[in-house]
Amino acid sequence: LPAIGTATRLLAVFGDPIEHSLSPAMQNAAISALGLDYVYLAFRVTESELAQALAGVRSMGIPGVNVTIPLKQAACALVDELSDDASDAGAVNTIVNCDGRLVGHNTDGQGFVASMGDDLGLDPRGLRVCIVGSGGAARGVAVRLARQGAHSIAFAARSADRAWSLSSLVKGRCPSCATGIVSLCDREQLDRVLASSDLLINATPVGMYPRVEDSLGINLAYLPKHACVADLIYNPAETVLLREAASLGYRTMNGAGMLAHQGALALKLWTGADPDVGIMRSIVLQLGG
Ligand code: NAP
């Protein structure tokens, strides 16, 4: 890190727990490569403390912060303005302090699409997508894919209620994208959905460290030969899902690129500089994979 002086600006991530966050290592590496006079630190902030912490951001003129689990939804109501991406995602992961006015952004969906371009050479336009899971990450990714021209999105989920509401939300925001739901228990229907998908995305924590041998039990052989499989998980770097997909000859990507790109987009929003995503991704894989 460059010498810290009175001109050094603070950036931070708030969350609870925060001990395992890769963001400080990833952001400080990018800041150092850019030669910027910033330092990025992690703070444990609970949901009930978030309003106070953001008041501190305003009063101390901190240029920006990331917010992570469990603060992403709560932050929506505490900022002064939401970007379209944050409003689409129903969650904020990046806050920019514009002279005391806090603007909430969400760079997760854009981060996923950028990573998809890098890792799989895929463009969302015309894609038929099947997303497993219907939580926060699925929402951000789905609306972004729909906004960028995905042909259709099927949500495969264990609970129909959340999947239905996500399916109608995406349809409401992007009427040109067809949406539907399929139960993870209805194997026959799931196999039919897989057979007409170009991209399968795991947006559940199934297979994440430490339960690395957990599997969704999806029969990947029903996917067309040209299909790709993405997992939002980056630890381990190769989940059971990605291992099975690769062994069947499908192109795969993990969540490291998404994490690096969402961080790079946040750093650009705060500083205007273009970070080296490769440096950020290598930190994620080194520390988290
Ligand atoms: P979340 O809001 O808690 O949603 C999790 C979703 O997974 C829910 O729809 C849940 O189903 C489903 N699920 C959980 N366990 C399941 C199981 N055993 N079988 C089937 N479905 C199951 O979590 P999130 O924030 O969306 O995160 C999801 C994943 O994305 C996590 O692994 C997270 O690490 C990853 N992620 C990665 C990045 C990145 O930058 N790479 C960013 C954000 C998130 P119900 O609706 O039935 O509860």
Side-chain angles (χ1 to χ4, degrees), residues 69 72 108 132-138 157-159 162 184 202-206 208 216 231-234 255-256 258-260 262:
I69 290 169
K72 288 182 171 191
D108 282 339
V132 188
S134 39
R158 61 179 180 185
S159 57
R162 276 182 100 181
L184 274 174
N202 175 33
T204 79
V206 177
M208 190 165 73
L216 288 161
D231 203 321
L232 302 194
I233 292 171
Y234 51 84
M258 173 178 174
L259 188 70
Q262 66 74 32

Side-chain angles (χ1 to χ4, degrees), residues 140-284:
V141 167
V143 187
R144 189 72 200 182
L145 287 171
R147 283 213 186 276
Q148 289 195 223
H151 171 274
S152 57
I153 303 178
F155 296 95
R158 61 179 180 185
S159 57
D161 287 359
R162 276 182 100 181
W164 263 124
S165 57
L166 182 49
S167 166
S168 0
L169 180 129
V170 173
K171 188 78 199 147
R173 301 215 170 191
C174 307
S176 61
C177 179
T179 63
I181 73 160
V182 54
S183 164
L184 274 174
C185 302
D186 185 344
R187 292 292 156 167
E188 266 182 40
Q189 204 201 342
L190 182 60
D191 295 344
R192 276 198 297 275
V193 168
L194 291 176
S196 54
S197 297
D198 307 303
L199 173 65
L200 172 69
I201 304 170
N202 175 33
T204 79
V206 177
M208 190 165 73
Y209 179 86
R211 299 181 58 174
V212 296
E213 289 308 320
D214 282 6
S215 158
L216 288 161
I218 292 175
N219 193 344
L220 298 177
Y222 282 92
L223 285 166
K225 286 281 163 266
H226 71 271
C228 295
V229 178
D231 203 321
L232 302 194
I233 292 171
Y234 51 84
N235 183 10
E238 188 176 55
T239 55
V240 168
L241 178 78
L242 295 188
R243 194 163 71 224
E244 280 174 13
S247 74
L248 290 168
Y250 300 112
R251 286 183 298 139
T252 63
M253 76 171 219
N254 64 23
M258 173 178 174
L259 188 70
H261 274 287
Q262 66 74 32
L265 289 160
L267 191 54
K268 182 162 188 174
L269 283 169
W270 297 320
T271 66
D274 266 314
D276 183 335
V277 180
I279 291 179
M280 300 174 89
R281 178 200 288 259
S282 67
I283 299 275
V284 174

